[in-house]
Amino acid sequence: MRDFCYSLVIVTGNLWGLKSLQDLEEFRVSTRRWLEENCPQSMRQPITEQDICSGGRRFVFQSDDQKLWLDRMAERGWTAPAWPLEYGGGGLNHDQAKVLREEMASITARLPLQGMGISMIGPAILEFGSDALKKQHLPQIARGEIRWCQGYSEPGSGSDLAGLQTRAEDHGDHFIVNGQKVWTSNADQADWMFCLVRTDFEVSKHAGISLVLFDMESAGVTARPIRLISGASVFCETFLEDVRVEKSQVVGDVNNGWTIAKYLLTHEREMIGGIGTAAGTRTLGELATEAIGLSDGRLSDELLRTEVATWEVDSCCHQLTMERVRDEMTADGVGNTSAMIKYYGTEMNKRRFELLMALGGSDALHWKEGTDTQRWLRSKGNSIEGGTSEIQLNIISKRILGLG
Amino acid sequence: MRDFCYSLVIVTGNLWGLKSLQDLEEFRVSTRRWLEENCPQSMRQPITEQDICSGGRRFVFQSDDQKLWLDRMAERGWTAPAWPLEYGGGGLNHDQAKVLREEMASITARLPLQGMGISMIGPAILEFGSDALKKQHLPQIARGEIRWCQGYSEPGSGSDLAGLQTRAEDHGDHFIVNGQKVWTSNADQADWMFCLVRTDFEVSKHAGISLVLFDMESAGVTARPIRLISGASVFCETFLEDVRVEKSQVVGDVNNGWTIAKYLLTHEREMIGGIGTAAGTRTLGELATEAIGLSDGRLSDELLRTEVATWEVDSCCHQLTMERVRDEMTADGVGNTSAMIKYYGTEMNKRRFELLMALGGSDALHWKEGTDTQRWLRSKGNSIEGGTSEIQLNIISKRILGLG
Amino acid sequence: MQKLVLTEEEQMVRESAADFLFKKAGPGALREIRDTANPKGFSSEVWLEMVELGWPSILIGEAQGGLGFSHVAMGQIMELCGSTLACSPLFSTAVVGASVLSLGGDRLALLPKVAAGNLTLALAIDEAPRHNPQGIATRAVRRGDGYTLNGEKTFVVDGNVADYLVVSVRADEEPEDVLLFLVPRDAEGVAITKTEMVDSRNSATVQINDVTVESVQRISHSGAGLATLQKVLNIANVHLSAELLGIANECFGRTLRYLNERKQFGVEIGSFQGLQHRAAILWTEIELCKSIVLKALRALDESPEHAGLLASTAKAKTCQVAELASNEGIQMHGGIGMTDEFDIGFFIKRARVVQMLYGDRRYHLNRYAELRAY
Amino acid sequence: MQKLVLTEEEQMVRESAADFLFKKAGPGALREIRDTANPKGFSSEVWLEMVELGWPSILIGEAQGGLGFSHVAMGQIMELCGSTLACSPLFSTAVVGASVLSLGGDRLALLPKVAAGNLTLALAIDEAPRHNPQGIATRAVRRGDGYTLNGEKTFVVDGNVADYLVVSVRADEEPEDVLLFLVPRDAEGVAITKTEMVDSRNSATVQINDVTVESVQRISHSGAGLATLQKVLNIANVHLSAELLGIANECFGRTLRYLNERKQFGVEIGSFQGLQHRAAILWTEIELCKSIVLKALRALDESPEHAGLLASTAKAKTCQVAELASNEGIQMHGGIGMTDEFDIGFFIKRARVVQMLYGDRRYHLNRYAELRAY
């Protein structure tokens, strides 16, 4: 009984915890009220890929509501709820940000703004950037004025990202960059790129890398879209010929880019890992019921019934794991566990589309734009982009399990 | 049409093929008659582990019929049908041996003799041994007079077999052997051991190995049975202390043992790979029907039904592959493809027993000697003994696929 | 909604349980019980210490002399009983038995005895080798104020040592419902046969020949027996999932240590990518199990209306992963893993028993789909 | 019993087919057909050369102007059509069509035309997205000496180009049986819509509105339609299995070459054991497919009584392995495998169509179990 009863005493005494819970409850109530009053009805529909507001110079709003919603949220800093107020963020703590997410979800409010700026380079600048960089870029990102793309992979360096060959030559106050990037998402739509370049060829490959920022309208930048097995894509090849990059646009220190790259890869993994959950859409069980029907209350193909149930069980466990990992999150973020989220989430998504193909039968073999057939083929890339499944397994075995 | 019609001409002209087919048919008829007349009825029952005739000095025949059947078959050399007549074999060619197997199978005639002598060291002596060794050992093996065991693995060298440390010191006309072997099947029952020893410690690990033969009654040999998770086992630890081995008992050349070891491993792999087929017993589908019954003509657990059918499909494909590999066999034997047979066969056997456990429910969790429960646990060793599954996959990827 | 992390007090329960179980009730203790053919199937000393730690009282309300603490806390102990292979009547008495009595409602008076560790119970429901709680041939025939019971039960965990059996029967007068009776193990007409099990733990078959029971021995309110049984089985399966998680996790931990120790070809076998990737996949699967087990335990405490679906989700998933982890554990240990001398074999044996008890992966996948109406 | 190896003449057919197909009908040819939106869906030149090689006559008896050669020989060609992704009416006409006419027995007179490459056919049987040959809503109503047909067919391979459709229907007068009719594609009341398919090959939906057919257009003897259809589907599925084997094998071969070429971290990626083991497993699975495909082809030639079970075994297995091989192919090629510029994507697209045609892995596993009476 000893330790056990002792622990009960501690809990009862946790008055501070109760106080903070009350505050949180008040925040929840006021947030709910504000959302109710300010979120346009048309922004409370489940979001599809076409409805995403990615912002940027060239972005064309699909409706007045979409613009209104972005402006209202940006004004409160809730496009980037956890960023400091001074950089255009919402200044919310971890628990408040979770409440905001929950309340938005409860009215299926759409995210007002999505993209590489909010999810990737913004947090990186916040963590590693100079104050000047923060002041220059973060408010623009939070207001949706500048859209970003990521220049990481190169033809010769996919899984071996650190083997990159894009060369930045030191010219005093600026660099001159030459090289080729591939898999640059939306390079043809983006305003700025955050880009890994090699600033030192003499040292070990991880040590000579820097993360630089430049405007895509700079002279010498060319982006060319890539056609995928699933059809048109957001990916581009980007050619960099004598591109001038100011030294003030280096994030963190010169030759310290790999640290930031790893930090960003963690973010990316977590984001891609969430792909397997397909929130807001109908469950696979519902889709299966619609596609092949029930007989005696059971899906009429017993094998598919088993496969669908197995998938749903795994998916439930994966979603709960993302929730648990976030709940356990320390100040350093989720760290290497993002490799697990990424690995499993993308494998789940591939399995999901294989099942949808089986459910659809020959109808699912028709070739049309924007169908599940194309999404099925596209899903094959999930376990390649953002670090292959094999790389994730390497990360787990080496950094978490301490093998090899 | 060109090549195609040309090929038809060739076939029609294959008169030699027809002649040899006629001979084979005559052999089949005479074999069938002889078996009918000479195979005791009690030797035509499906064979279980306890019924196996392994021969040897200490072997106690379970019945007069068992002895009669061994003697009659041994007299014709049909305990080792493909060995030359002069060494006590049957002198049959590949096709005749297949006919004999088929005719024995058609009356479910038991093998008159099984063991390491017939399957392993016999063929190795035939291939690599001196004429003196052949004359000394092969007839004794074919008559079932001497039972053999295999001294390969050591505590420190499992998958890395060539890393063995058992030491044979040169004493002129003999070696003195010291070391420890594990996983020696039936070491406590066997009369002779064929044993890998290190005869040169100076050269690379594969180059200093020899294959030697010695009597288990030699001074300094001790065998101690190993208890497994599945209960009592045929495996022993064997301790070798200053064991004298005549140099005449080296198979092939001194320091050339690794070549013979690889040859023998191929044989062993093929043998173990056959384990997944469980010939002569009832099919898994029949066992499943008996265990859980049908409803509306389907196994009453839909998941098990799927798993059983999947297993049977894979098993059928695996059996056909063994058949195909044998049919394609060249003079060098099946070679590296035995790695595939071994890998897949043992995985099949493990899957089979997991399914039997599921079919048996809580009844299959009872702990009794000689039950499927013990065989289930024993099956876990199949993918470890005779080279782990991982080693088989290494062999396939390196030697067949040319990777790495 | 609670976060998916342990509270401070749950964490403390976990730590003190680990402390005790790894010291006193590890695989070595199980080996001794097996090799001495201990007829009780557990160490009385260990059980007494569990009682002293208050474990049998965790799930029992304060009004009945318990601590009224959480399933999450009890689940931590169950998980660690999986990791250590600890033998005791804890599961059958303090998880299943206490839940039957609490939920049944008519026999609350026994609960203080359970909480104090003075009374042990065993659930006698299955009659066929594969779990089917509604497949009941055992019959209750009304006789005066009571009933006469006849039938046979199998796979009764701790049936050979428990003071009372909880027996499921059907009566002609209420054919739709299931009746649960509390039957003393030594009642006249009850014949118990201990079964030798692969995991060396307690299980028994129970023959019930003209056993007379009074109405007061009935546990469940009229018409609520089946519902009670289903709730009890949800609770049981969530805690079995916790045990399977513990088994899988410990198998994996031991395997990981071995991969870092065992050398072949001059290097640790853990440096081979073929094994690394399998270890990483296994670790990921175990992480998934941790999440669903915690979620299902929380649901027992906070939202029992979701307990059915989550119990089947948890059992289906942990069965799959425990099977994988125990199989990979043996394979990666190689020959030494096959020897009785080494402990890893105890884990695969225990895993299969827990997997089968109250429904295996197949049973719960099917139930999951049924609850999802497809 | 024939050995499980190719005879000399079968080997020669295989070699000459490989020679021709790899040269003239590889993925590049398919890409051109797709990118030029070729409405025929195949190259007439390639088809003419196939005719000249005698391929349409292989399965047709000598009495009907064919070569009367073996399914094993034809299967080699089908496998290589899988490896090369060769587009042509060969499967629908020379495998399926020729078999329907030969087995049906009533329309043998058309066979010499098929053998000579002057007549193409397409099987129009499915009406729902998932294969179900007995699920027929298309109706035949007796009218004078003939019938009037009404209904709709889907997933009709080469339905947009074939001269004749083989249509399955049910008549009220013979509700138990299936009737097979030969309907000219340009018959009045037949409306064909070409479907854009993921594999860029020919498929169509067929609407049949008051189409008048004469009795002489009926293919099957009275009461034998269903049996004929089942035999044809067995043949079709064995040859589709051969095609799937070819797809899997070529996917694997290309992947293997890439593993030996592509460098990351300073070494060939094929030197990583994680990929090596997966490659070895995949190779093993493909070897298993080779065995069952050859066995099933031989059964069509020598022991048709086993063809049903072996056809479902072969299709179930090759579906599984082609799915695995095409998925692993893309994954191991990494980003480049996802680009349309690279050929590997054509294989996964074709694989899924062949998998689905006349029943996927699930359909045939279920059928296997049914044929085994469990």
Side-chain angles (χ1 to χ4, degrees), chain A residues 277-321:
Chain A
T277 62
T281 58
R282 276 170 309 166
T283 67
L284 192 62
E286 286 163 359
L287 293 169
T289 305
E290 192 180 290
I292 64 173
L294 304 178
S295 59
D296 295 327
R298 297 160 74 98
L299 284 175
S300 52
D301 182 311
E302 284 287 347
L303 265 87
L304 273 170
R305 179 172 182 264
T306 297
E307 290 170 287
V308 167
T310 304
W311 188 90
E312 286 201 346
V313 163
D314 287 342
S315 173
C316 169
C317 295
H318 179 242
Q319 286 188 51
L320 290 170
T321 302

Side-chain angles (χ1 to χ4, degrees), chain C residues 229-263:
Chain C
L229 181 57
Q230 278 164 343
K231 282 180 198 162
V232 169
L233 286 172
N234 287 340
I235 292 169
N237 273 308
V238 173
H239 285 279
L240 290 175
S241 300
E243 185 177 351
L244 286 169
L245 165 61
I247 294 170
N249 203 28
E250 180 68 17
C251 260
F252 179 68
R254 286 167 180 252
T255 305
L256 201 56
R257 280 196 293 280
Y258 189 74
L259 291 179
N260 270 325
E261 280 165 23
R262 169 77 169 171
K263 285 191 177 188

Side-chain angles (χ1 to χ4, degrees), chain A residues 390-404:
Chain A
E390 292 77 10
I391 291 291
Q392 308 310 319
L393 295 176
N394 284 348
I395 291 172
I396 294 169
S397 50
K398 290 192 166 49
R399 296 196 212 148
I400 299 178
L401 306 180
L403 288 173

